[in-house]
Amino acid sequence: MSKRLTAVQQPYEISTLVRNLRHHKILLLMPEGENRTKMEQQIRRIGCRLHAQWPPPQEIDSFYQIVILGLTAVIETDQAFHWDVSHPPAALVLVVEYENPLVLQYSLSLNAQAIIGLPFHPMGVMSNLLLSLQEYKQTRSMLKTIRNLESKLSSSEHIEQAKYYLSQAKQLSLENAYKVMRQTAMERRQPIGELAKEIIADYRKSQPKELP
C-alpha cells in the first residue's frame, strides 16, 4: 500500500517542483553564440525568468536564485568570476565543453551544484536546474545549522566565563552566579548569551590596567 501511495504522490511532487522552478530568476553568464542562444531558448521554454550577459559581473545580485556559468569560456578568456563558496548567493550550474584537470579543479573549487556538458542538448537542462536548486537549499540549510551550532558554542563559552567573573565579583558559587544571570536575563527579556557578553565586558573594564 505504501508503494502505491508513493507512486501516486511522485507525479504531484515533480509537477510542483517544475511549477516552482518557473518562478525562479536565472542569470546566464555565457558569451554570445549558438550555445548561449540554445540555452536561452530552452530556459525560456521551461518558463523561467532569464537575464543573459557576458562577461560576468563583479558581484552577483541577490535577485537571482540560479547562476549558469560558462566555465570553459571563463578559463579560455581569463575572465574574473567572484564567487563566495562559504556563502553562495545562488545555486551554481557550470557549462563545460570538455574535461581536463584545470576544468575539474575550477569545478571543485567553485562547489557547483550541477554541470551541463556541451555540445548543447535540451535533455537534462531542467533536471540540472532542479537538482542544483535542491542541492543549494540543502547546502544553505547545512550552513545555517553550522552557524547556529557555532553561535551556541560561542554563547556557552561566554556564559561559562561570565559565570566565573560574576562569582568572583559577588563572592557567589558558580551555581548561584548562573541563577543570578538567568534571573536577570528573564527580567530584561534578554538572551543570556548577550547578558554574558555584558558581564565579561564590565568585569574587564573594572580590572586595573597593567603598568607599562
Side-chain angles (χ1 to χ4, degrees):
M1 183 174 180
S2 60
K3 290 183 178 179
R4 290 178 185 174
L5 180 60
T6 302
V8 169
Q9 287 179 332
Q10 282 178 347
Y12 172 77
E13 291 172 354
I14 295 300
S15 65
T16 302
L17 289 173
V18 173
R19 187 166 58 250
N20 291 340
L21 177 62
R22 292 172 181 150
H23 296 293
H24 287 77
K25 305 166 197 69
I26 297 177
L27 176 61
L28 177 61
L29 303 175
M30 291 178 68
E32 292 184 0
E34 182 182 0
N35 286 319
R36 173 168 139 175
T37 300
K38 289 181 176 179
M39 186 71 75
E40 287 178 344
Q41 290 172 346
Q42 182 61 18
I43 292 171
R44 289 198 168 96
R45 193 174 292 120
I46 294 170
C48 300
R49 284 176 281 179
L50 173 69
H51 173 70
Q53 72 174 75
W54 187 259
Q58 288 291 321
E59 186 176 347
I60 303 298
D61 198 315
S62 58
F63 179 80
Y64 301 103
Q65 288 83 46
I66 304 174
V67 174
I68 302 176
L69 174 69
L71 180 61
T72 307
V74 167
I75 295 172
E76 291 181 347
T77 59
D78 196 26
Q79 291 287 342
F81 178 65
H82 305 283
W83 190 256
D84 188 350
V85 177
S86 60
H87 297 89
L92 180 62
V93 179
L94 301 179
V95 180
V96 300
E97 294 184 32
Y98 49 79
E99 288 182 350
N100 64 20
L102 187 58
V103 170
L104 292 174
Q105 180 182 341
Y106 269 90
S107 301
L108 293 171
S109 65
L110 289 170
N111 197 25
Q113 279 74 46
I115 297 178
I116 297 175
L118 295 178
F120 177 81
H121 193 283
M123 288 289 293
V125 173
M126 182 185 292
S127 58
N128 273 292
L129 293 179
L130 288 171
L131 287 171
S132 69
L133 276 174
Q134 291 298 105
E135 179 68 22
Y136 173 66
K137 288 176 182 176
Q138 291 175 3
T139 300
R140 189 169 57 178
S141 176
M142 181 179 66
L143 289 172
K144 183 179 179 180
T145 300
I146 291 172
R147 286 194 292 269
N148 287 340
L149 290 173
E150 289 174 342
S151 177
K152 287 181 180 178
L153 178 60
S154 176
S155 177
S156 177
E157 291 173 349
H158 286 141
I159 290 170
E160 288 301 314
Q161 194 173 13
K163 191 166 64 174
Y164 172 76
Y165 287 159
L166 189 62
S167 69
Q168 294 294 306
K170 302 293 186 182
Q171 298 297 308
L172 299 170
S173 67
L174 291 175
E175 182 179 355
N176 287 334
Y178 179 72
K179 287 180 180 179
V180 170
M181 287 173 59
R182 186 173 60 183
Q183 183 63 34
T184 303
M186 289 175 62
E187 290 173 355
R188 294 185 184 180
R189 297 184 179 179
Q190 178 185 29
I192 193 168
E194 293 298 319
L195 175 63
K197 291 179 184 179
E198 292 179 9
I199 293 172
I200 293 169
D202 290 343
Y203 182 84
R204 288 175 177 171
K205 287 178 183 177
S206 68
Q207 298 305 297
K209 293 182 179 179
E210 294 183 3
L211 295 175

